[in-house]
Amino acid sequence: MEFRHLRSFVAVAEELHFARAAEKLHIEQSPLSRAIKELEEELGVALFARTTRSTRLTRAGKMFLVHVRRVFAALEQGRDSVKAAANGFHDQLRVALSDGITPSRLPALLALCRQEEPEVEIRFFEVPLSQQIKGLHDDLYDVGFAQSDEVGDGIAAIPAWSDPLMVAVPARHPLLAHKRIPLDELLRYPLVLCDPQVCEGTSKYFDRILRRSDMEPLIVERVATCDLMMALVSAGFALGFAGATRIAANSALGVVARPLALRVPPLTAYLLRPEGEPSDVLARFIERVQAIESPEFSRPALVGHPPDSPEDPAP
């Protein structure tokens, strides 16, 4: 089995069309078809079901694609590790971010890492939660952050930091008459929420809150990033949910934070890692995560940081 076989397989699997896959690889269709045939003969299975009108992956093809992508990811990481070593880094930490998370403490954490251990390269991967969990099991990532502790066996979920959950409300909205917004009142207005495919953990958290009311929420948009959510809220398109620090960072857009009238758990970012004894590099990283949340740690001394409890402007 040669590398060209794997590249050919991935191209056809992604395009599901031999002519387009050949064009993508800048080769003729004939050698591409031959490479797929050689690969199928070596494996002893059909990877594609082909008709005159369509090409689709067989069950075996779908399983093989998962493994091949893992091989490519490992090769890419190996290449990056070699480059990092050549550039003077002594070690590497692979950090996965899920649930659309750009943690509010991330700038302070990175500043502390660069200050205390500049020889360690930190690489980030933005992936769905399910992919992060699989990658932690498969040693594609060393550690990750997500807004869920429902991660199954073999993965430790450690609360890293929390923010009070707030409703993101556009300035001059009628709901600003409430210092704390009743859930049923909130549900009279359209909502913009995170995409459950991209932000699985956060989406489940919001769904549990919305199920406390018998009213059906009117969800007019699902977004992959908090930045787009804030833009839509600022424009008066809908209401949203976010942590207090995130809304404070967008106060210049005219987005106001209001808590809900009911008690809800804070929006918590969890540090995820494989169970077992962590490496020395990972252990020191975890210590820094815990340090930046401690009262003794002065975040503004490292980087500018919005307050944890923003004051609401007058409605």
Side-chain angles (χ1 to χ4, degrees), residues 187-193 215-221 238-239:
L187 294 180
R188 297 181 188 278
Y189 295 91
L191 299 176
V192 52
L193 298 180
M215 295 179 63
E216 188 70 23
L218 174 60
I219 302 171
V220 294
E221 192 64 77
L239 307 176

Side-chain angles (χ1 to χ4, degrees), residues 239-277:
L239 307 176
F241 288 117
T245 54
R246 181 64 67 86
I247 299 178
N250 286 271
S251 59
L253 296 176
V255 179
V256 181
R258 280 288 190 271
L260 283 168
L262 72 164
R263 300 188 67 171
V264 297
L267 192 58
T268 300
Y270 293 89
L271 181 147
L272 309 183
R273 70 170 183 86
E275 290 182 346
E277 193 68 23

Side-chain angles (χ1 to χ4, degrees), residues 8-27:
S8 297
F9 168 71
V10 171
V12 177
E14 290 177 345
E15 297 295 332
L16 294 179
H17 192 281
F18 275 75
R20 288 198 299 268
E23 183 178 348
K24 183 177 183 179
L25 294 173
H26 306 291
I27 62 175

Side-chain angles (χ1 to χ4, degrees), residues 12 25 27 41-42 59 64 149 172 228 243 248 252 265 277 300 309:
V12 177
L25 294 173
I27 62 175
E41 288 176 349
E42 181 172 349
R59 183 175 180 181
F64 191 58
D149 59 353
R172 295 180 295 279
L228 179 54
E277 193 68 23
S309 301

Side-chain angles (χ1 to χ4, degrees), residues 277-299:
E277 193 68 23
S279 67
D280 291 343
V281 171
L282 179 54
R284 290 191 293 271
F285 180 80
I286 294 172
E287 288 175 0
R288 294 186 192 108
V289 171
Q290 295 169 337
I292 64 171
E293 190 64 3
S294 66
E296 294 79 14
F297 185 79
S298 177
R299 281 172 284 167

